[in-house]
Amino acid sequence: MAFPHRPDAPELPDFSMLKRLARDQLIYLLEQLPGKKDLFIEADLMSPLDRIANVSILKQHEVDKLYKVENKPALSSSEQLCFLVRPRIKNMRYIASLVNADKMAGRTRKYKVIFSPQKFYACEMVLEEEGVYGDVSCDEWAFSLLPLDVDLLSMELPEFFRDYFLEGDQRWINTLAQALHLLSTLYGPFPNCYGIGRCAKMSYELWKRLEEEEDGETKGRRPEIGHIFLLDRDVDFVTALCSQVVYEGLVDDTFRIKCGSVDFGPEVTSSDKSLKVLLNAEDKVFNEIRNEHFSNVFGFLSQKARNLQAQYDRRRGMDIKQMKNFVSQELKGLKQEHRLLSLHIGACESIMKKKTKQDFQELIKTEHALLEGFNIRESTNYIEEHIDRQVSPIESLRLMCLLSITENGLIPKDYRSLKTQYLQSYGPEHLLTFFNLRRAGLLTEQAPGDTLTAVESKVSKLVTDKAAGKITDAFSSLAKRSNFRAISKKLNLIPRVDGEYDLKVPRDMAYVFSGAYVPLSCRIIEQVLERRGWQGLDEVVRLLNCSELAFTDMTKDDKASSESLRLILVVFLGGCTFSEISALRFLGREKGK
Amino acid sequence: MNRTKGDEEEYWNSSKFKAFTFDDEDDELSQLKESKRAVNSLRDFVDDDDEDDLERVSWTGEPVGSISWSIKETAGNSGSSHEREQLKNRNSFSTYAQLPKPASTYSLSSFFRGRTRPGSFQSLSDALSDTPAKSYAPELGRPKGEYRDYSNDWSPSDTVRRLRKGKVCSLERFRSLQDKIQLLEEAVSMHDGNVITAVLIFLKRTLSKEILFRELEVRQVALRHLIHFLKEIGDQKLLLDLFRFLDRTEELALSHYREHLNIQDPEKRKEFLKTCIGLPFSAEDSAHIQDHYTLLERQIIIEANDRHLELAGQTEVFRKHPRKASILNMPLVTTLFYSCFYHYTEAEGTFSSPVNLKKTFKIPDKQYVLTALAARAKLRAWHDVDALFTTKVLQEYVNLVEDVDTKLNLATKFKCHDVVIDTCRDLKDRQQLLAYRSKVDKGSAEEEKIDALLNSSQIRWKN
């Protein structure tokens, strides 16, 4: 979406407006409970809240003490309690137990629940059942889009994926439609819309309905963003399953970036304490390395360190006036840079240490083999050993899922033996994990028909299609083949490399995976934007099982400036990886979008 | 809740959910626009002092003044005296102290209130103070007649639209099955899961479960929402009934099995797992469930025994290497590691011996050797490591020797029992095998293997 490296890069819309809007809404809601009150905040909302407000703002609006919503009795002595929560059943039970405890103790207080980003009827039902409906007032804080960076917005809803892609619950579709509606209200209508996937299509339809209902709101406004692309995560699971090798991705895989910030432990800060660091374009050092392949990062950082040293050294031989200038104008910047530099060098070292320990090269080699489809037996053995040695349970699952999706499911014999070993290594209760992964289509067993010849499989496909109506829905994912190989061939996802792939001067998006693989999601986006639609991609769309679910909507809007037409907003429904963000930033630089 | 008409009027006008007034056009959107305008005009007043939090960091690493930081402070001081609290507030929120006290008078939110009383700069909180400011959110299926219901003639699509906007809407008028289903289908066609669930809550309350299940069976989207809803609110009984009705036996079994995670007491958990064994799992999963039960059963025995040993302080390995955690509910491989660590030399007959675990759970050789090696190496029991290594590695090399006699000699010399046994079997040399039996440990797996061969009627021995 944003490509700050190009001198002629289009100017980005001012997303900080979203922050101010959210802050004002929150203040408005807090003032609806006049007087001193204690605020209970759900853990998951703390970081997003921190990004738009701070304690003094809350204090200004008579918030006295702050508590975390956790399953403990409240110690608050305030007469008014305000709860800022995600619409989750367990929060309702917690609040209800608190209110009921007060009632038992003969105590009356005022309670207000603020749901973010919206309330659900199921939550109200629980309040009603627990007998506290009416004792508690409810409100909504429509804080659904948090700008994490100049070119990055997040809904901060980790449960989106599970709720929709596993349980088939469409509760967040309205939230998303509202968020898109908000964007078009603030930044003008989107002249060109594209999308793929069932969730994308439904969200798009609901969004358009909202626009119709709020008729005229966005009409006549100049569009600031020329294109919007909605993409379901299940269109491309493969990319999300690959180990990340661009710097920001590695930092995420190693330390977990949450809500745009990361906790660097003592091993990184080279002191005895942890440090919470915001990772965005404002960190000048980070901004230069975030999208780089890891192999370039060390060189860059040491060059940077040398430059810094040279700049410090300049102060030798300065006269007093020069020194005064240096101290007042440059020193602060240098110190800041110094601090950032040492942090990122520390992070790099820590990443290196961890990766060497777990034999990262071997892991990457296996992933590449799976992506390219050779040495499947060897890869399977590698995964088996991974499991047997009780190396990370998540990593083992990730590899198994990658094997499953690239191979259209595991051979029954392998599926059984890997599953058995997994349960033995990491615990029998993971039987439930396997069931869920199968339902989500992430880890499946090849149906017996899958190994038949092309003609036979066509026939068997007809049969299964017919029978599909009878197959219970839970297993429909079994009938859905991932067809990764065919898609990969069609879209040229594995670049042919003559000689070494120069990671310093990347030539395509594959650089985010060491030149071995172009992320499928980003390739689809690239192709559709290039063609201004899905023309010529019918076969790919069919292979993606999205025949009815790929759409384009272009309005002829002469108000759209050429500048705005170069801006694209990509929405990943169900989350995206930093590798994909890096790849899209690269694409933007290449195409001048 | 006998509110007067005036109160009600006041309520609906002051509440965010102005459900039963007809002037609800000015909702979120206009509020938003207004807010945007307000924000833009205020750009200069709003101090963006929360951006530069890189520098100000507390000892926990949280930026000072951040909300996460402040919550930790509250938690840490929750028992402390009032004065200290006050002091703390003064120290860390000094900016607050300097602000004019009625902070709300010129606050941003006063711009929103302009909606109800244009031009007034009194804050909303002031405006509400003389009215019963309690605000109620919309409610599903509140008994009819409690307050005026204007929604009597709303069509399914009107109703669903209002539900989508989060407004109160009585569903009571949808009484015939046809009406209910029409309402449900309208909700599904809008794709909003929250509304679908709202309608399902109503249907669940007003239809018998047989009818509800029957109707949902042919409406997969709605069905998925009901299943997820039942899971979330923990209505296990209805969920299991539903799976039974749908004949989804595997999900039925797994849902039941899932409950074991909520049982902390090991004995009770074990008993619960026992009830899972007969459930309609796939053949493969049935075996896993059986293993789960057996594993926990073993762990309970081992745990009781070892806790006793450890407390008695007579056993060297427990004295030297006190246990860091209980073995209960650990995975099988971890249990095997534990058993190789503390009970390596025990005879196969005891539950805690590695060989017994290997046999009971059919642990593959490779896994067994790998785990045993790790455990013995950790104990620096190099002798055992040597033995494991030698057999493992030498075995492979010895097996490569083509000349049978040389192979047998080498294998005997290096105690590669498996190679000797397999070679004798291939040579059909019963006498040599019988002789070798005395060279392996009593009660060992090797001895058993030899006995099995000697007793086998399949082999035609040459002697």
Side-chain angles (χ1 to χ4, degrees):
Chain A
M1 193 165 75
F3 316 104
H5 301 272
R6 252 177 100 103
D8 65 335
E11 203 180 320
L12 286 159
D14 175 19
F15 288 127
S16 64
M17 204 178 332
L18 291 165
K19 285 193 190 176
R20 291 198 294 270
L21 210 57
R23 182 164 51 200
D24 291 354
Q25 272 192 3
L26 180 65
I27 291 168
Y28 170 73
L29 292 169
L30 287 176
E31 290 215 345
Q32 293 216 316
L33 191 64
K36 263 197 187 311
K37 57 222 155 223
D38 281 358
L39 185 61
F40 288 70
I41 306 175
E42 168 148 28
D44 285 3
L45 275 170
M46 275 158 50
S47 300
L49 187 56
D50 253 337
R51 304 298 297 271
I52 60 145
N54 56 23
V55 177
S56 56
I57 288 181
L58 297 181
K59 296 273 164 183
Q60 280 169 42
H61 299 279
E62 298 184 83
V63 169
D64 191 17
K65 288 192 201 103
L66 292 168
Y67 295 92
K68 191 159 121 187
V69 172
E70 50 194 344
N71 239 345
K72 281 196 272 190
L75 296 159
S76 165
S77 56
S78 177
E79 287 310 302
Q80 304 198 89
L81 306 185
C82 188
F83 300 89
L84 189 56
V85 292
R86 292 266 184 240
R88 294 174 181 152
I89 302 293
K90 69 166 173 38
N91 291 332
M92 298 306 105
R93 298 246 156 88
Y94 168 73
I95 293 167
S97 72
L98 236 145
V99 176
N100 279 327
D102 279 356
K103 279 188 182 176
M104 292 289 278
R107 177 165 196 181
T108 37
R109 315 197 227 201
K110 272 192 181 170
Y111 313 91
K112 181 184 197 66
V113 184
I114 301 174
F115 293 98
S116 179
Q118 68 167 109
K119 76 181 159 61
F120 287 143
Y121 289 105
C123 292
E124 289 184 313
M125 188 211 75
V126 172
L127 292 179
E128 185 177 350
E129 281 186 353
E130 301 286 338
V132 299
Y133 197 95
D135 300 310
V136 175
S137 68
C138 296
D139 246 319
E140 287 181 325
W141 181 32
F143 178 31
S144 52
L145 285 173
L146 172 68
L148 289 179
D149 211 333
V150 286
D151 63 347
L152 187 60
L153 304 177
S154 167
M155 294 183 75
E156 290 298 308
L157 284 176
E159 60 258 65
F160 189 114
F161 183 83
R162 192 188 169 102
D163 283 346
Y164 179 78
F165 292 99
L166 178 64
E167 304 289 357
D169 192 317
Q170 299 166 196
R171 55 166 56 146
W172 300 114
I173 287 183
N174 180 51
T175 318
L176 177 59
Q178 297 279 3
L180 295 173
H181 181 53
L182 172 65
L183 286 178
S184 62
T185 315
L186 294 178
Y187 306 106
F190 296 89
N192 305 294
C193 305
Y194 319 91
I196 184 163
R198 190 176 302 278
C199 191
K201 193 163 185 223
M202 291 193 289
S203 308
Y204 179 74
E205 284 172 9
L206 191 54
W207 171 31
K208 287 293 129 177
R209 187 172 293 274
L210 284 177
E211 309 250 291
E212 272 167 37
E213 286 167 1
E214 318 275 358
D215 199 25
E217 282 305 329
T218 61
K219 277 189 194 133
R221 281 219 43 182
R222 251 175 94 101
E224 286 183 53
I225 305 169
H227 311 259
I228 184 165
F229 199 114
L230 307 175
L231 182 124
D232 276 16
R233 184 70 269 178
D234 68 350
V235 165
D236 172 18
F237 279 145
V238 170
T239 305
L241 291 167
C242 294
S243 294
Q244 308 197 65
V245 287
V246 289
Y247 182 63
E248 193 167 7
L250 265 170
V251 171
D252 184 36
D253 278 358
T254 320
F255 308 101
R256 280 276 157 268
I257 299 177
K258 274 192 201 140
C259 199
S261 75
V262 69
D263 272 317
F264 282 137
E267 79 277 15
V268 174
T269 57
S270 48
S271 65
D272 52 357
K273 57 190 179 189
S274 298
L275 198 59
K276 197 170 189 158
V277 180
L278 274 183
L279 294 178
N280 58 32
E282 275 169 42
D283 178 338
K284 295 286 176 271
V285 175
F286 176 68
N287 199 36
E288 285 189 75
I289 51 174
R290 67 196 308 186
N291 301 311
E292 290 291 319
H293 189 273
F294 192 61
S295 59
N296 300 337
V297 173
F298 252 147
F300 176 87
L301 289 178
S302 58
Q303 180 59 47
K304 199 97 187 154
R306 275 198 296 276
N307 292 350
L308 191 66
Q309 187 60 52
Q311 280 187 287
Y312 269 122
D313 287 347
R314 277 195 306 124
R315 74 183 191 280
R316 279 179 210 145
M318 280 182 182
D319 61 25
I320 299 230
K321 199 175 167 215
Q322 285 169 321
M323 187 64 101
K324 201 177 151 197
N325 241 349
F326 176 79
V327 171
S328 64
Q329 286 172 13
E330 285 175 60
L331 196 59
K332 193 177 174 232
L334 289 179
K335 271 189 174 160
Q336 167 83 346
E337 193 177 337
H338 182 202
R339 213 180 61 84
L340 292 171
L341 207 50
S342 71
L343 261 184
H344 289 294
I345 290 174
C348 275
E349 278 174 343
S350 183
I351 291 171
M352 286 289 276
K353 227 186 254 167
K354 261 184 202 145
K355 296 299 177 191
T356 342
K357 206 170 147 197
Q358 61 164 71
D359 207 353
F360 196 50
Q361 287 308 319
E362 204 56 32
L363 176 74
I364 295 282
K365 222 175 86 190
T366 305
E367 286 180 15
H368 290 175
L370 289 174
L371 289 167
E372 290 178 49
F374 64 81
N375 286 347
I376 297 302
R377 184 52 31 210
E378 231 170 76
S379 301
T380 313
N381 291 341
Y382 176 83
I383 298 172
E384 190 173 51
E385 202 177 314
H386 215 83
I387 295 170
D388 285 352
R389 289 182 185 278
Q390 291 185 306
V391 192
S392 128
I394 291 288
E395 203 123 277
S396 299
L397 277 183
R398 193 166 62 71
L399 285 166
M400 280 161 84
C401 293
L402 193 59
L403 172 65
S404 168
I405 291 176
T406 50
E407 288 290 298
N408 270 329
L410 271 59
I411 304 165
K413 190 173 135 286
D414 288 342
Y415 179 80
R416 268 179 215 142
S417 110
L418 287 176
K419 179 171 164 182
T420 304
Q421 292 178 68
Y422 193 93
L423 300 183
Q424 294 185 339
S425 270
Y426 305 114
E429 67 280 4
H430 284 291
L431 202 63
L432 299 160
T433 312
F434 276 82
F435 180 71
N436 285 341
L437 288 172
R438 188 174 60 173
R439 270 203 309 159
L442 275 160
L443 180 52
T444 60
E445 195 178 343
Q446 281 174 11
D450 279 3
T451 41
L452 302 176
T453 62
V455 181
E456 280 170 314
S457 81
K458 251 185 197 163
V459 175
S460 79
K461 192 176 175 295
L462 287 175
V463 174
T464 32
D465 276 354
K466 242 185 190 170
K470 287 188 177 172
I471 296 175
T472 51
D473 180 71
F475 301 109
S476 62
S477 59
L478 284 182
K480 225 162 125 188
R481 296 163 51 101
S482 55
N483 300 317
F484 179 74
R485 294 268 171 267
I487 295 165
S488 168
K489 212 178 251 171
K490 275 254 173 280
L491 288 175
N492 211 2
L493 298 183
I494 313 290
R496 259 178 311 219
V497 180
D498 326 309
E500 196 91 328
Y501 187 102
D502 187 357
L503 293 165
K504 283 211 166 67
V505 196
R507 59 179 145 182
D508 53 22
M509 294 187 282
Y511 94 92
V512 303
F513 292 114
S514 309
Y517 161 70
V518 179
L520 168 59
S521 53
C522 304
R523 176 70 102 202
I524 294 173
I525 293 161
E526 174 201 46
Q527 289 296 310
V528 170
L529 288 173
E530 216 160 75
R531 296 157 197 258
R532 313 280 310 313
W534 297 93
Q535 306 88 310
L537 294 172
D538 308 344
E539 180 64 7
V540 173
V541 170
R542 194 187 64 75
L543 288 167
L544 288 168
N545 301 302
C546 284
S547 293
E548 307 291 315
L549 306 172
F551 56 91
T552 321
D553 184 6
M554 322 241 265
T555 47
K556 281 211 184 75
D557 194 336
D558 40 17
K559 283 200 203 73
S561 63
S562 58
E563 178 84 345
S564 76
L565 282 175
R566 289 162 65 205
L567 277 179
I568 302 141
L569 175 69
V570 178
V571 184
F572 285 86
L573 294 90
C576 79
T577 63
F578 285 104
S579 302
E580 286 167 311
I581 296 174
S582 289
L584 290 177
R585 284 180 182 138
F586 174 86
L587 187 65
R589 280 198 301 275
E590 286 291 292
K591 308 275 177 193
K593 296 228 163 142
Chain B
M1 226 172 292
N2 283 322
R3 280 182 280 127
T4 64
K5 190 165 181 255
D7 277 352
E8 227 164 61
E9 219 67 86
E10 191 59 55
Y11 156 52
W12 289 121
N13 282 325
S14 59
S15 159
K16 188 167 186 292
F17 308 100
K18 296 175 277 91
F20 293 114
T21 57
F22 289 103
D23 59 337
D24 50 24
E25 266 62 56
D26 61 338
D27 48 354
E28 292 86 39
L29 191 73
S30 54
Q31 186 182 315
L32 216 63
K33 281 173 58 193
E34 219 160 339
S35 158
K36 188 186 166 186
R37 238 187 333 257
V39 167
N40 285 341
S41 66
L42 270 181
R43 220 174 272 212
D44 297 336
F45 295 91
V46 183
D47 207 20
D48 273 347
D49 57 353
D50 58 335
E51 297 297 316
D52 183 26
D53 33 9
L54 269 173
E55 292 290 332
R56 290 173 294 141
V57 179
S58 75
W59 60 273
T60 50
E62 301 286 352
V64 171
S66 82
I67 286 144
S68 338
W69 172 81
S70 177
I71 285 175
K72 280 183 193 155
E73 290 290 292
T74 333
N77 288 308
S78 46
S80 73
S81 72
H82 193 61
E83 287 85 17
R84 262 178 61 195
E85 207 102 314
Q86 291 234 307
L87 196 66
K88 182 133 267 143
N89 284 350
R90 255 204 300 282
N91 284 344
S92 40
F93 309 120
S94 45
T95 44
Y96 168 52
Q98 289 154 13
L99 281 158
K101 190 59 196 128
S104 49
T105 310
Y106 285 102
S107 73
L108 290 171
S109 52
S110 57
F111 287 84
F112 295 93
R113 191 204 28 80
R115 248 180 336 147
T116 37
R117 266 187 234 170
S120 157
F121 269 77
Q122 215 183 356
S123 87
L124 188 77
S125 28
D126 298 338
L128 283 178
S129 57
D130 54 351
T131 59
K134 213 170 189 180
S135 90
Y136 294 93
E139 177 180 345
L140 280 170
R142 179 183 279 207
K144 211 174 165 183
E146 192 176 330
Y147 45 67
R148 289 167 298 162
D149 192 349
Y150 291 103
S151 68
N152 257 337
D153 42 9
W154 275 331
S155 66
S157 69
D158 285 338
T159 308
V160 165
R161 196 175 61 235
R162 293 186 71 80
L163 284 175
R164 252 174 51 216
K165 311 251 167 201
K167 286 170 184 155
V168 132
C169 206
S170 163
L171 303 180
E172 297 300 319
R173 65 160 285 256
F174 297 92
R175 300 196 70 169
S176 74
L177 180 59
Q178 197 193 346
D179 283 352
K180 289 180 207 284
I181 295 304
Q182 214 186 335
L183 182 67
L184 181 64
E185 289 186 338
E186 177 66 26
V188 169
S189 75
M190 288 295 120
H191 313 314
D192 184 345
N194 180 33
V195 177
I196 298 173
T197 305
V199 173
L200 286 170
I201 293 170
F202 168 68
L203 296 193
K204 174 177 169 269
R205 194 167 54 77
T206 57
L207 286 173
S208 81
K209 70 181 178 198
E210 286 76 18
I211 304 296
L212 177 67
F213 292 173
R214 188 191 72 199
E215 294 298 331
L216 292 189
E217 192 177 13
V218 290
R219 292 177 178 82
Q220 290 292 326
V221 173
L223 177 63
R224 278 197 296 259
H225 282 80
L226 182 67
I227 291 173
H228 191 216
F229 169 74
L230 293 177
K231 279 186 193 169
E232 281 202 312
I233 62 161
D235 193 341
Q236 182 77 356
K237 197 180 161 300
L238 196 60
L239 184 67
L240 295 183
D241 283 347
L242 178 56
F243 284 145
R244 223 169 275 131
F245 175 88
L246 298 167
D247 216 15
R248 290 195 190 172
T249 51
E250 190 177 11
E251 276 175 280
L252 177 72
L254 283 164
S255 282
H256 183 77
Y257 168 71
R258 194 183 162 64
E259 281 179 77
H260 85 266
L261 294 170
N262 303 323
I263 305 171
Q264 296 309 317
D265 180 69
E267 272 301 329
K268 284 187 186 141
R269 186 184 267 213
K270 186 189 85 181
E271 285 316 306
F272 182 85
L273 286 171
K274 200 173 183 179
T275 68
C276 295
I277 292 173
L279 295 173
F281 290 102
S282 65
E284 177 204 355
D285 284 354
S286 284
H288 293 314
I289 300 289
Q290 173 74 54
D291 278 355
H292 191 175
Y293 168 75
T294 316
L295 180 64
L296 184 57
E297 188 186 34
R298 290 294 168 85
Q299 287 171 338
I300 290 173
I301 298 169
I302 298 173
E303 178 67 24
N305 213 17
D306 289 3
R307 200 185 312 127
H308 180 75
L309 283 177
E310 197 173 33
L311 281 174
Q314 299 293 311
T315 324
E316 196 194 345
V317 65
F318 286 108
R319 254 202 337 263
K320 268 194 176 162
H321 308 274
R323 303 183 312 152
K324 290 195 183 91
S326 132
I327 194 61
L328 292 173
N329 297 319
M330 291 294 168
L332 175 61
V333 171
T334 312
T335 313
L336 178 64
F337 181 92
Y338 175 96
S339 137
C340 288
F341 196 91
Y342 290 110
H343 304 279
Y344 194 60
T345 51
E346 274 169 29
E348 197 193 317
T350 53
F351 279 149
S352 47
S353 85
V355 189
N356 188 305
L357 284 175
K358 179 176 188 291
K359 243 180 115 178
T360 310
F361 296 100
K362 299 191 188 71
I363 300 170
D365 280 340
K366 195 175 146 195
Q367 175 69 279
Y368 179 82
V369 173
L370 205 69
T371 312
L373 264 178
R376 300 320 286 171
K378 181 126 193 164
L379 268 178
R380 297 170 184 275
W382 304 122
H383 185 71
D384 295 333
V385 172
D386 266 356
L388 281 162
F389 244 124
T390 329
T391 11
K392 179 93 183 110
V393 179
L394 271 184
Q395 201 154 293
E396 277 176 35
Y397 284 100
V398 173
N399 249 331
L400 293 174
V401 177
E402 273 188 39
D403 181 72
V404 182
D405 286 337
T406 323
K407 191 202 284 198
L408 256 181
N409 280 335
L410 282 170
T412 314
K413 188 175 166 196
F414 294 117
K415 298 204 174 93
C416 300
H417 300 309
D418 274 342
V419 180
V420 179
I421 297 165
D422 290 347
T423 315
C424 289
R425 181 197 59 204
D426 295 345
L427 291 170
K428 308 200 180 340
D429 192 338
R430 189 183 160 91
Q431 292 314 312
Q432 187 155 357
L433 189 60
L434 203 57
Y436 196 73
R437 191 175 181 276
S438 63
K439 293 189 178 154
V440 301
D441 292 340
K442 284 260 175 300
S444 66
E446 288 78 20
E447 191 186 61
E448 214 165 283
K449 189 172 174 184
I450 294 174
D451 287 344
L453 285 171
L454 291 174
N455 293 329
S456 167
S457 54
Q458 306 264 314
I459 308 168
R460 266 192 251 142
W461 302 104
K462 70 173 186 191
N463 52 26

